[in-house]
Amino acid sequence: EKCCGWVVDTSGGEPLLRFVRKTGEGEEAAYDVRFPKDGKPVVSTPENRALTEHQKASRRAFSVATMGFAEKRMPICRCRGSYNFVVLDAPTGPGFLVYLLRPKDEDAVIPVGGHYRISVSADGRTVMQIDRLWRTCMTLDKRDGLPAGAEMVAASMSHVVSPSPLETHVFLSLQEKLPFYVITNDGRTWRVADGASSFDEPVAQSHA
């Protein structure tokens, strides 16, 4: 089908995942997957294969973000395979957020560090800002320190690049199906679980 990518479109009543394929004149829709609130995802072949203007802008945002990131020569963490890109509508206004996500090298590891957020204009043509969401290539291994047959029930980590947990913590918590306890520079512990974060309690400080 010559598919070359996809578009995530949340502008309608149901989230839409549209697979895109190349044509002689550009790109068009190949398959649609809709996600109703109640029920399983529905796969269909669109009668009208033309991309909407919003979907075209989303595809441009992906291209300009990848090129802009490469031109800046930003540091990345070593990983097996390539990074993953996700393009989403900006939640606070027009434009797009393009996430550069470090992948899992194996099932037992959690790649906490290494992710980026790239803000792109509403027409998908201009990179507005690149946010580095990490300080180190922190990787948690769900097997470390556990006796044979035991399973991790929660993960904890320090976080220094913002005063509260980020959306990447929420994403990873959902992906791993684990609550995260994120300790920020001010000594607070935040609980990230079920798609949200909340303030838990201060961490006791000790002084030598």
Side-chain angles (χ1 to χ4, degrees), residues 8-17 33-37:
V8 177
D9 192 338
T10 58
S11 60
E14 297 176 342
L16 169 68
L17 172 62
V33 185
R34 297 187 181 276
F35 296 83
K37 289 184 178 180

Side-chain angles (χ1 to χ4, degrees), residues 1 22 45 54-55 63 67 75 87-88 107 119 122 142 146 148 160 189 196-197 204:
E1 295 290 340
K22 288 187 176 297
T45 301
H54 180 78
Q55 292 164 2
S63 297
M67 289 188 294
V87 184
L88 300 174
D107 185 61
S119 301
K142 293 189 285 187
L146 294 179
V160 298
T189 299
S197 62

